[in-house]
Amino acid sequence: MIKNICCIGAGYVGGPTMAVIAQKCPHIKVTVVDLNQDRIDAWNDESLENLPIYEPGLDEVVKEARGRNLFFSTEVDKAIDEAEMIFISVNTPTKTYGVGKGMAADLKYIELCARQIARVAKTDKIVVEKSTLPVRTAQAIKDILDHTGNGVNFQILSNPEFLAEGTAMEDLFAPDRVLIGGDITPEGEKAIKQLFDIYSNWVPKDKILTTNVWSSELSKLTANAFLAQRVSSINAMSELCEKTGADVNEVARAIGMDSRIGSKFLKASVGFGGSCFQKDILNLVYIAQSYGLKEVADYWEQVIIMNDHQKRRFAKNIISTLYNTVSGKKIAFLGWAFKKDTNDTRESAAIYVADDLISERALVSVFDPKVEKKQIFFDLNYLESRTNEENELYMKVENSPYDAIKDSHAIAVLTEWDEFKNYDWKKIYDSMLKPAFVFDGRNLLNKKELEEIGFVYQTIGS
Ligand code: NAD
Ligand code: UGA
């Protein structure tokens, strides 16, 4: 039985997944390691208020397990040496250089982990791919690990993570399924069983699926592609609804009641964001292209093309509605995170909408309940559309929604934070220039209430 686990990567996946394993398996010592000292310090923060990730319910779990059998550290070698099972949960961003630039997954961090494990390990290890990886990556990891020449045996498992941010704890406590891929050999099956036994401490056995490694790796990319495709499909319909007088919410309800289609993940929006959908689909497109499967690649690429269009057309609509110019006009953003209940902003639609509006010289004023000012500027500056100094002239970040909105021409809702619904909308209306516009990129607010107050209210897909 496994008694000692190490996880390399203390990010959005490594932190919460290991916290839950530690909580549910008090007999296992779990050490989460990272190169980033600030991140580890934040995980070890006494007060629990400064954990590096905001995720509802996470602080409770960390409080219970930390110091008992859950540890956060930068001593990577020591943790690798002591562990029987090592999860790799590092980032796998889109490549920004060389062959496959802008599409393929950058596996440099994964390879570094494999080489570090190869260098340090003195006893047999099970290495678990937790990061999302291109199909057949396990072969590359295996090649590196099998050439150490020190007699250590490695088993590689694929155990992709399906949690969504904002609901990570619920998803980890009661997953729809846990997927474990491994070699179809006696040693591979033994390794699969050891990981199976860890999850079965709290996940019903019939929800733990085992497959070969390649099916497991490819299932993760497929799941994200299907999910993102649903959002792009409903967003495509939202534009048609706007032209025809149909209402996308009504269409979504009508099709969602068909049990073959299902009602979840059919919310039209300003476009999907997050660190994974775009990166994983681009990766899938790249893999298909590299096997010469042009039609397959083109089919999935369309999901991204539609999403870029949706973000862009939201900004364009604001400009055309505000009498074709936003130059010098204050536009308040409610929300910057890519979805509610997270402080993660990676690939958030808000970044691209702000960039488009600032290119038209709008003055963007942002409020998000969980995202820090430093992060918001980092995201905009990262696009390199203009100098950082210019971005500071055109964008402000406020600590209160009322300050962000005061004297603005329009409000754009970019994230569906629940608290936005409960604001004093009459007070907000009184503080704005007239006509006072609301562009609701999340179909979040109450149209009737806002129109009665006097707002000109526009939303996606109706
Ligand atoms: P993240 O960027 O939040 O965390 C990754 C961490 O790994 C960073 O803290 C980084 O410092 C650390 N790291 C990188 N190389 C290292 C090394 N050699 N040694 C030690 N630490 C190292 O990333 P994330 O969002 O947790 O995603 C991790 C993986 O999980 C990705 O492959 C992603 O596609 C996948 N995934 C993410 C989510 C999600 O909701 N974010 C969900 C499912 C799967
Ligand atoms: C997604 C998947 O849901 C997870 O299963 C997966 O593990 C994860 O990616 C990953 O691999 O990283 P996440 O990106 O955290 O999770 O959040 P989602 O709830 O999937 O939302 C993604 C984006 O789509 C958000 O911007 C969200 O606002 C948008 N969305 C989602 C819509 O616009 N409409 C919907 O109906 C659903």
Side-chain angles (χ1 to χ4, degrees):
M1 202 165 61
I2 299 288
K3 292 218 160 48
N4 203 321
I5 287 178
C6 150
C7 172
I8 310 180
Y12 281 86
V13 170
T17 51
M18 292 302 128
V20 170
I21 290 183
Q23 189 205 33
K24 301 291 184 187
C25 310
H27 55 287
I28 301 178
K29 180 182 174 191
V30 180
T31 308
V32 190
V33 290
D34 205 294
L35 298 172
N36 183 334
Q37 182 74 52
D38 289 349
R39 221 168 203 188
I40 291 298
D41 289 347
W43 280 112
N44 283 324
D45 187 77
E46 279 294 318
S47 74
L48 289 166
E49 272 165 22
N50 300 319
L51 294 182
I53 287 164
Y54 173 71
E55 198 58 66
L58 174 63
D59 50 352
E60 296 283 301
V61 179
V62 172
K63 187 174 168 199
E64 184 184 328
R66 199 178 60 188
R68 179 187 72 186
N69 65 326
L70 175 65
F71 303 92
F72 294 94
S73 156
T74 50
E75 291 183 90
V76 185
D77 282 2
K78 180 165 180 277
I80 291 174
D81 181 35
E82 289 173 358
E84 298 143 314
M85 181 178 272
I86 301 163
F87 287 78
I88 303 183
S89 190
V90 300
N91 35 328
T92 49
T94 305
K95 262 186 103 176
T96 53
Y97 55 89
V99 177
K101 177 180 173 183
M103 296 202 86
D106 190 344
L107 298 180
K108 125 178 118 189
Y109 305 104
I110 295 287
E111 185 171 334
L112 282 171
C113 289
R115 290 189 184 279
Q116 192 160 6
I117 295 170
R119 180 170 54 75
V120 172
K122 297 193 283 290
T123 51
D124 294 354
K125 313 274 181 207
I126 298 171
V127 175
V128 184
E129 301 175 345
K130 191 52 136 171
S131 299
T132 302
L133 296 170
V135 55
R136 298 204 71 87
T137 305
Q139 189 60 51
I141 297 180
K142 199 170 166 34
D143 285 349
I144 292 169
L145 293 177
D146 282 351
H147 282 87
T148 57
N150 59 3
V152 174
N153 290 311
F154 294 98
Q155 279 300 317
I156 323 280
L157 299 178
S158 159
N159 172 222
E161 183 48 59
F162 295 99
L163 69 81
E165 289 178 27
T167 55
M169 304 318 282
E170 295 157 45
D171 297 341
L172 289 167
F173 290 146
D176 284 351
R177 77 325 207 163
V178 166
L179 181 57
I180 304 173
D183 277 354
I184 314 296
T185 57
E187 299 78 29
E189 277 160 14
K190 187 173 162 217
I192 292 177
K193 170 85 171 51
Q194 285 176 294
L195 186 53
F196 186 102
D197 288 345
I198 292 175
Y199 282 110
S200 59
N201 280 295
W202 78 99
V203 180
K205 289 190 168 58
D206 60 348
K207 293 201 167 182
I208 309 176
L209 242 104
T210 59
T211 65
N212 77 33
V213 186
W214 318 129
S215 304
S216 173
E217 287 180 338
L218 189 57
S219 297
K220 174 62 195 178
L221 293 183
T222 309
N224 274 0
F226 270 59
L227 289 167
Q229 184 209 42
R230 274 174 82 90
V231 179
S232 275
S233 296
I234 199 72
N235 281 343
M237 289 305 159
S238 75
E239 192 170 12
L240 195 54
C241 286
E242 288 164 25
K243 298 285 179 215
T244 55
D247 178 332
V248 77
N249 297 315
E250 293 179 350
V251 173
R253 199 166 67 236
I255 64 165
M257 284 175 76
D258 185 325
S259 60
R260 293 168 304 174
I261 295 175
S263 60
K264 292 182 185 163
F265 243 74
L266 284 179
K267 265 193 86 55
S269 68
V270 55
F272 62 73
S275 63
C276 292
F277 279 177
Q278 173 161 313
K279 131 179 123 55
D280 291 347
I281 294 180
L282 288 172
N283 182 5
L284 190 66
V285 169
Y286 183 74
I287 294 169
Q289 279 173 353
S290 61
Y291 285 106
L293 309 179
K294 183 180 179 312
E295 289 77 7
V296 177
D298 290 352
Y299 176 77
W300 287 110
E301 190 172 16
Q302 203 58 37
V303 174
I304 302 289
I305 294 173
M306 187 62 224
N307 195 50
D308 287 340
H309 170 68
Q310 190 75 351
K311 292 184 268 189
R312 196 117 284 153
R313 91 181 175 86
F314 184 76
K316 268 194 191 151
N317 180 49
I318 295 179
I319 297 161
S320 64
T321 308
L322 295 184
Y323 316 106
N324 287 315
T325 175
V326 288
S327 174
K329 292 180 180 169
K330 178 171 172 180
I331 298 175
F333 273 31
L334 289 182
W336 190 264
F338 81 97
K339 63 186 280 197
K340 74 170 177 177
D341 292 339
T342 178
N343 61 345
D344 194 348
T345 63
R346 291 176 288 182
E347 289 301 326
S348 179
I351 306 167
Y352 298 93
V353 176
D355 191 52
D356 281 0
L357 293 175
I358 292 174
S359 293
E360 291 291 326
R361 303 199 176 159
L363 305 173
V364 173
S365 162
V366 184
F367 170 75
D368 187 289
K370 287 288 174 203
V371 183
E372 289 177 10
K373 180 176 177 177
K374 195 171 79 177
Q375 182 65 42
I376 295 175
F377 275 101
F378 174 86
D379 292 336
L380 188 63
N381 292 338
Y382 190 78
L383 297 183
E384 294 184 352
S385 301
R386 57 196 78 73
T387 64
N388 298 1
E389 291 71 33
E390 278 177 291
N391 280 335
E392 278 179 32
L393 284 179
Y394 286 104
M395 190 166 77
K396 296 273 170 288
V397 177
E398 301 284 359
N399 291 326
S400 131
Y402 298 98
D403 291 342
I405 292 167
K406 190 170 180 296
D407 296 327
S408 65
H409 288 255
I411 295 170
V413 180
L414 275 306
T415 313
E416 72 282 22
W417 287 102
D418 289 327
E419 67 171 65
F420 297 165
K421 291 186 272 195
N422 305 323
Y423 287 168
D424 183 341
W425 284 97
K426 175 73 176 83
K427 177 174 156 190
I428 287 178
Y429 179 77
D430 291 339
S431 76
M432 290 175 67
L433 299 180
K434 308 294 175 324
F437 293 91
V438 173
F439 299 93
D440 188 346
R442 296 289 184 169
N443 287 332
L444 179 76
L445 303 175
N446 185 329
K447 175 179 160 77
K448 189 163 169 280
E449 180 197 336
L450 262 66
E451 285 181 347
E452 274 170 16
I453 292 172
F455 283 102
V456 181
Y457 176 79
Q458 288 195 11
T459 187
I460 304 268
S462 66

